[in-house]
């Protein structure tokens, strides 16, 4: 019973990260019908920039080792600011260099160009930070909190809280504000939105900034749990993409639900047989794609004639 | 036409620069004896072992040359980094043997890389002494051939398993021992060795669990091990994953006696698990920095070049590898690979190394200079690796070490 609770807690924390990255996929997909397949590498850059900033703030070299005292809440906040700014800027560059040239043209050029952009980022990070994994102590300390016999770390609670807050904010912005309506209008019909006086170009750039920023935020949040390393992106991005598919790529709420669902399934299958986790998750993806291609929470695409 | 000319000018300049660069980088003269070093010093979680080994190798050469060299000639080390990649390691090996014409090679760091290129030195009759990689098969693959060219002065997987289980069997009060290993070849081979050796003690593991090398939460697997009633766990993974395992133990508040391989001597364990948690895992090692005056002196010299060195043992093993090689070259009176290998095997003169005095370390059947009797247990203490002993280690007799 304790094992079950423990698995659920661990699964929720991991699922929160999948959910954040999945949201990033959803946002660019709904506005431009493209995805940033380099999302995993954006997450890597987010966490490494944060680690680097924390190290520089502590007066160490950017490849040094962080001590627990180097990661105060203030420094973590500053690192978040730097990381999100850098990632937002990268989102703009990504859009103008790797997505816009191919928008509207048939074919899959943007798939290759976003993957390529990610590989460029990854290798740049490799040149700066090297291949090793870098530990980042949590700003909230490492003391394990006990919950009915199961343990959870403060950082994992932070991941859950931030995911919930980001979800609520995005939900509110998308449904209740003017800018959110503009985003949804662009998603629904670019030409019509442009005719209604919406600055489609600006909305699309914004979508990429938010999408990259979410990847960066995920990287920053997960680094104290998994350590930051150049090679951690792909596995997380693949699972996050799966979460988006399961939940529904067109539905932000679906992406969040998909993320948590996948995290929990992974942890629960681990209770049974650890080596079956990936098999189960990707088998589930195939099943969902066959039975409900639009995802559990997605809307069926329909064309009005 | 004009374009072509500038190009060729640039090219010739480049060629000249390269020629000068090469001349500066390789001061080796024809009469020097070249020895290759090929090991990961940057790529994998074991890179720190490779860096320490390189400094041990360099310092041994420095000492040998100070004492007059070998056969009246100077020794020159040719160092290559294989970044932990098998293709790169093979390429380095070919270059060292065919272009640099090295007499012998010291390396590599990673077992997988060694297994990828063993056939090259074996076919070309170039003796190799492995200073780091631990896979049991490395020194045994060519045992059946007329001359096996692969030797080792390092930890050997089967031997460290013998030590770990000797401890585990005595430490476990409930006689319930569990294994947990990463899903790579390294971890799974380890489980195989562990299971076989535990059977020699007349026991079966109560649980065998797996984790991915990049996993960060092993609470599920540990929960099952706890439910199986195990009070002693042997972990077969690399330092970063093992650190996550320790963190997961903390999470579920389950702290069985935890034993691991010498891979735990890498800083990722310390950095990820933190000082306090890292002290919980006990692991096998061949020598500690403070085990004798020779080790203390060498450690101080390596620290001058590699201040943050976490793993002295690789430097000591590499230093001893080079000392044994030079003794064999001296005794063989030639740089011929076949004769050097034969000398190493048939009885190289007593050689004082850092770890011990080597008396006939190799024979036709035994290409490992170190065995379980040379190993002892250690753990992290206050951010440094320190020898570990308690009433159990003091009670060890040779009958406890089954392999």
């Amino acid at each position: 019973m304790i094992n079950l609770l423990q698995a659920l807690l661990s699964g929720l924390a991991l699922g929160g990260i999948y959910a954040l990255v999945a949201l990033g996929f959803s946002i660019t997909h709904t506005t431009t019908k493209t995805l940033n397949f380099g999302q995993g590498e954006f997450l890597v850059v987010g966490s490494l920039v944060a680690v680097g900033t924390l190290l520089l703030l502590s007066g160490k070299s950017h490849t040094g080792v962080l001590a627990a005292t180097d990661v105060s809440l203030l420094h973590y906040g500053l690192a978040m600011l730097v990381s999100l700014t850098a990632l937002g800027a990268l989102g703009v560059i990504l859009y103008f260099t790797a997505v816009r040239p191919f928008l509207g043209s048939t074919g899959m050029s943007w798939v290759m160009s976003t993957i390529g952009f990610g590989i460029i980022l990854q290798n740049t990070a490799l040149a700066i930070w090297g291949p090793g994994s870098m530990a980042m102590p949590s700003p909230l300390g490492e003391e394990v909190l006990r919950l009915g016999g199961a343990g959870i770390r403060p950082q994992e609670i932070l991941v859950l809280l931030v995911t919930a807050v980001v979800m609520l904010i995005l939900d509110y912005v998308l449904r209740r504000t003017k800018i959110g309506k503009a985003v949804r209008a662009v998603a629904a019909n670019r030409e019509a939105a442009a005719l209604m006086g919406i600055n489609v170009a600006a909305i699309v750039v914004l979508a990429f900034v938010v999408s990259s920023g979410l990847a960066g935020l995920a990287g920053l949040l997960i680094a104290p749990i998994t350590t930051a390393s150049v090679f951690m992106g792909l596995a997380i991005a693949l699972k996050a993409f799966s979460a988006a598919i399961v939940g529904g790529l067109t539905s932000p709420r679906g992406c969040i639900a998909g993320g948590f669902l996948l995290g929990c399934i992974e942890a629960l299958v681990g209770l049974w047989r650890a080596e079956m986790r990936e098999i189960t998750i990707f088998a589930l993806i195939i099943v969902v794609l066959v039975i409900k291609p639009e995802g559990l929470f997605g809307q069926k695409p329909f064309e009005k004639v | 036409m004009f374009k072509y000319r500038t190009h060729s000018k640039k090219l010739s300049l480049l060629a000249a620069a390269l020629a000068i660069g090469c001349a500066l980088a390789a001061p080796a003269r024809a009469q020097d004896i070249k020895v290759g070093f090929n090991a990961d010093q940057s790529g994998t979680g074991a890179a720190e072992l490779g860096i320490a080994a390189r400094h041990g190798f360099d310092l041994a050469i420095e000492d040998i040359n100070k004492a007059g060299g070998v056969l009246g000639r100077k020794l020159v080390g040719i160092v290559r980094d294989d970044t932990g990649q098998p293709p790169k390691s093979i390429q380095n090996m070919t270059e060292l043997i065919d272009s640099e014409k090295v007499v012998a090679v010291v390396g590599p760091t990673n077992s997988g890389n060694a297994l990828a290129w063993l056939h090259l030195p074996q076919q070309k009759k170039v003796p190799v002494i492995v200073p780091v990689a631990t896979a049991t098969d490395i020194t045994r693959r060519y045992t059946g051939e007329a001359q096996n060219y692969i030797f080792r002065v390092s930890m050997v997987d089967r031997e460290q398993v013998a030590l770990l289980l000797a401890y585990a069997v005595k430490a476990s009060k409930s006689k319930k021992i569990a294994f947990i290993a990463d899903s790579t070849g390294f971890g799974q081979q380890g489980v195989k060795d562990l299971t076989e050796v535990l059977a020699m003690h007349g026991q079966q593991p109560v649980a065998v669990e797996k984790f991915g090398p990049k996993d960060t939460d092993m609470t599920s697997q540990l929960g099952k091990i706890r439910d199986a009633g195990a009070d002693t766990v042997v972990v077969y993974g690399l330092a970063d994953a093992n650190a996550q395992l320790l963190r997961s133990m903390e999470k579920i508040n389950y702290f069985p006696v935890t034993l691991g391989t010498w891979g735990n001597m890498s800083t990722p364990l310390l950095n990820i698990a933190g000082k306090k948690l890292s002290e919980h895992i006990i692991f096998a090692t061949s020598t500690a920095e403070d085990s004798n005056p020779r080790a203390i002196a060498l450690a101080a010299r390596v620290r001058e070049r590699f201040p943050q060195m976490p793993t002295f043992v690789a430097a000591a093993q590499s230093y001893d590898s080079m000392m044994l090689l030079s003794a064999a070259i001296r005794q063989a009176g030639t740089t011929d690979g076949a004769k050097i290998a034969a000398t190493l095997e048939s009885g190289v003169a007593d050689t004082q190394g850092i770890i011990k005095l080597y008396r006939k370390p190799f024979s036709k059947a035994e290409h490992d200079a170190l065995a379980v009797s040379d190993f002892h247990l250690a753990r992290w203490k206050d951010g440094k690796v320190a020898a570990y002993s308690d009433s159990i280690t003091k009670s060890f007799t040779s009958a406890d070490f089954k392999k």
Side-chain angles (χ1 to χ4, degrees):
Chain A
M1 194 58 213
I2 288 178
N3 286 350
L4 206 66
L5 182 64
Q6 183 68 57
L8 276 177
L9 285 178
S10 303
L12 284 176
L14 203 57
I17 297 297
Y18 298 157
L20 283 178
V21 180
L23 263 183
F25 280 120
S26 163
I27 288 171
T28 60
H29 177 75
T30 46
T31 47
T32 61
K33 297 279 176 284
T34 62
L35 297 163
N36 174 15
F37 279 111
Q39 198 79 330
E41 281 65 41
F42 277 65
L43 177 145
V44 165
V45 172
S47 63
L48 285 174
V49 166
V51 171
T53 311
L54 284 166
L55 280 165
L56 293 178
L57 284 173
S58 324
K60 297 181 177 171
S61 119
H62 65 280
T63 52
V65 176
L66 281 170
T69 47
D70 296 337
V71 192
S72 62
L73 270 176
L74 174 71
H75 280 188
Y76 192 72
L78 283 173
M80 178 186 291
L81 211 65
V82 173
S83 189
L84 290 187
T85 313
L87 267 288
L90 276 177
V92 177
I93 299 172
L94 170 81
Y95 173 69
F96 282 106
T97 58
V99 178
R100 206 172 89 137
F102 312 111
L103 270 188
S105 62
T106 50
M108 287 285 189
S109 309
W110 57 269
V111 174
M112 210 44 236
S113 63
T114 55
I115 292 176
F117 195 91
I119 293 175
I120 292 172
L121 279 188
Q122 186 185 44
N123 283 283
T124 311
L126 188 65
I128 299 176
W129 282 282
S133 53
M134 302 173 83
M136 186 208 274
S138 164
L140 303 173
E142 301 291 339
E143 202 59 46
V144 177
L145 308 170
R146 301 273 158 224
L147 221 91
I152 187 163
R153 281 175 205 281
Q155 184 71 26
E156 293 172 319
I157 297 178
L158 184 70
V159 169
L160 283 175
L161 279 179
V162 171
T163 311
V165 168
V166 166
M167 177 181 72
L168 289 176
I169 293 178
L170 265 180
D171 217 63
Y172 177 80
V173 169
L174 279 177
R175 282 165 205 273
R176 296 268 180 269
T177 64
K178 229 177 181 172
I179 204 153
K181 281 185 185 145
V183 170
R184 290 194 302 151
V186 171
N189 189 329
R190 287 167 70 97
E191 286 74 26
L195 287 174
M196 292 299 122
I198 292 172
N199 187 345
V200 173
I203 294 290
V204 166
V205 171
L206 179 72
F208 272 86
V209 167
V210 173
S211 163
S212 312
L214 283 173
L217 183 66
L220 179 87
L221 285 171
I222 202 178
I225 301 174
T226 63
T227 74
S229 110
V230 172
F231 303 109
M232 71 177 177
L234 185 65
I236 296 177
L238 262 180
K239 298 230 179 91
F241 187 58
S242 313
I245 298 288
V246 168
L249 206 42
T250 50
S251 154
R253 287 178 184 181
C255 285
I256 300 270
F260 284 124
L261 185 69
L262 243 61
C264 288
I265 290 178
E266 198 179 331
L268 290 174
V269 173
L271 268 185
W272 170 50
R273 292 187 71 153
E275 65 271 27
M276 293 296 290
R277 285 172 305 182
E278 248 93 285
I279 298 176
T280 317
I281 285 183
F282 290 102
L284 175 79
I285 306 303
I286 296 176
V287 171
V288 168
L289 280 176
V290 170
I291 297 172
K292 212 167 176 318
E294 67 278 12
L296 298 178
F297 297 80
Q299 287 165 344
K300 266 208 175 98
F302 57 90
E303 294 282 329
K304 280 185 190 159
V305 186
Chain B
M1 193 62 204
F2 182 71
K3 237 183 185 173
Y4 173 74
R5 240 190 237 157
T6 43
H7 258 283
S8 69
K9 222 181 215 173
K10 264 187 196 158
L11 271 182
S12 57
L13 264 178
L14 189 70
L18 271 177
I20 294 169
C22 289
L24 286 176
R29 278 160 299 174
Q31 67 269 30
D32 291 341
I33 299 177
K34 289 187 191 174
V35 181
F37 180 84
N38 179 25
D40 174 25
Q41 296 148 60
S42 62
T44 65
E48 286 170 343
L49 293 167
I51 301 174
R54 191 227 309 159
H55 291 304
F57 172 82
D58 283 344
L59 287 169
I61 290 180
E62 193 181 298
D63 290 354
I64 294 163
N65 284 337
K66 248 186 228 157
V70 182
L71 309 177
R73 292 154 71 180
K74 217 174 105 210
L75 277 184
V76 176
I78 312 286
V79 175
R80 295 287 179 267
D81 182 358
D82 69 19
T83 69
Q85 306 297 321
K88 176 76 178 154
S89 205
I90 293 170
Q91 190 190 346
N92 285 350
M93 218 51 197
T94 314
E95 190 224 336
L96 285 171
I97 295 173
D98 292 344
S99 313
E100 294 287 351
K101 308 238 178 284
V102 296
V103 169
V105 174
V106 175
T109 311
N110 313 71
S111 294
N113 290 6
L115 295 169
W117 56 240
L118 282 185
H119 59 285
L120 294 172
Q122 179 67 25
Q123 281 163 7
K124 300 197 169 160
K125 300 187 195 307
V126 176
V128 170
I129 300 193
V130 178
V132 182
T134 60
T136 311
D137 190 43
I138 291 174
T139 47
R140 306 209 175 154
R141 183 178 285 178
Y142 297 115
T143 306
E145 304 218 350
Q147 176 67 59
N148 176 0
Y149 284 87
I150 318 299
F151 299 83
R152 169 160 50 194
V153 182
S154 180
M155 183 62 73
V156 185
D157 278 341
R158 190 74 177 206
E159 305 281 328
Q160 70 178 331
V161 161
L163 175 62
L164 295 176
L165 285 180
Y167 188 90
V169 166
K170 290 194 167 189
S172 173
K173 293 189 183 69
S174 62
K175 298 282 164 231
K176 287 183 174 169
I177 298 171
F179 303 146
I180 181 164
D182 73 25
S183 52
T184 68
F186 167 71
Q188 294 312 302
Q189 181 62 40
V191 167
K192 202 168 146 253
D193 281 338
L194 283 166
T195 312
E196 286 171 13
V197 173
L198 190 61
M200 293 176 199
H201 286 277
Q203 293 187 28
Q204 301 288 325
V206 292
V208 177
E209 288 292 327
K210 275 185 200 168
F211 57 82
K214 293 285 161 209
D215 279 5
T216 55
D217 191 308
M218 289 84 160
T219 50
S220 298
Q221 294 96 319
L222 284 170
K224 282 159 76 183
I225 290 177
R226 177 174 58 188
D227 291 351
D231 64 351
T232 303
V233 174
V234 185
V235 189
Y236 230 92
L238 293 179
D240 40 358
N242 295 352
Q244 296 291 358
L245 186 90
L246 288 169
R247 280 169 64 86
S248 295
M249 284 181 169
E250 188 187 29
K251 240 169 137 180
I252 65 168
N253 200 18
Y254 168 58
F255 286 105
V257 173
T258 308
L259 298 156
T261 67
W262 79 326
N264 291 297
M265 274 186 296
S266 287
T267 42
L269 187 92
L270 186 68
N271 293 340
I272 298 169
K275 265 187 195 173
K276 195 168 139 279
L277 263 186
S278 63
E279 289 177 8
H280 182 68
I281 189 165
I282 302 167
F283 45 83
T285 176
S286 69
T287 189
E289 245 179 280
D290 53 358
S291 51
N292 65 50
R294 300 179 304 274
I296 294 171
L298 181 68
R301 288 169 73 198
V302 178
R303 277 246 150 70
E304 279 172 26
R305 296 153 174 242
F306 182 24
Q308 68 277 36
M309 170 186 68
T311 41
F312 167 70
V313 49
Q317 288 168 181
S318 184
Y319 185 97
D320 288 3
S321 302
M322 195 56 230
M323 283 298 170
L324 284 168
L325 258 181
S326 75
I329 298 173
R330 197 173 290 132
Q331 203 172 326
T334 167
T335 55
D336 178 65
K339 291 197 174 114
I340 297 171
T343 309
L344 277 172
E345 201 172 75
S346 65
V348 61
D350 289 359
T351 304
Q352 181 62 57
I354 301 294
I355 297 168
K356 64 172 184 178
L357 175 68
Y358 295 89
R359 293 173 193 271
K360 297 207 182 306
F362 305 113
S363 66
K364 177 94 185 86
E366 186 55 80
H367 274 222
D368 279 305
L370 301 179
V372 65
S373 52
D374 300 305
F375 302 147
H376 60 90
L377 295 171
R379 67 167 165 175
W380 287 93
K381 192 81 205 161
D382 207 22
K384 278 193 176 147
V385 175
Y388 176 82
S389 74
D390 59 15
S391 57
I392 297 175
T393 60
K394 286 188 187 113
S395 74
F396 279 155
T397 63
S398 54
D400 292 325
F401 303 122
K402 304 200 191 305
K403 50 189 183 188

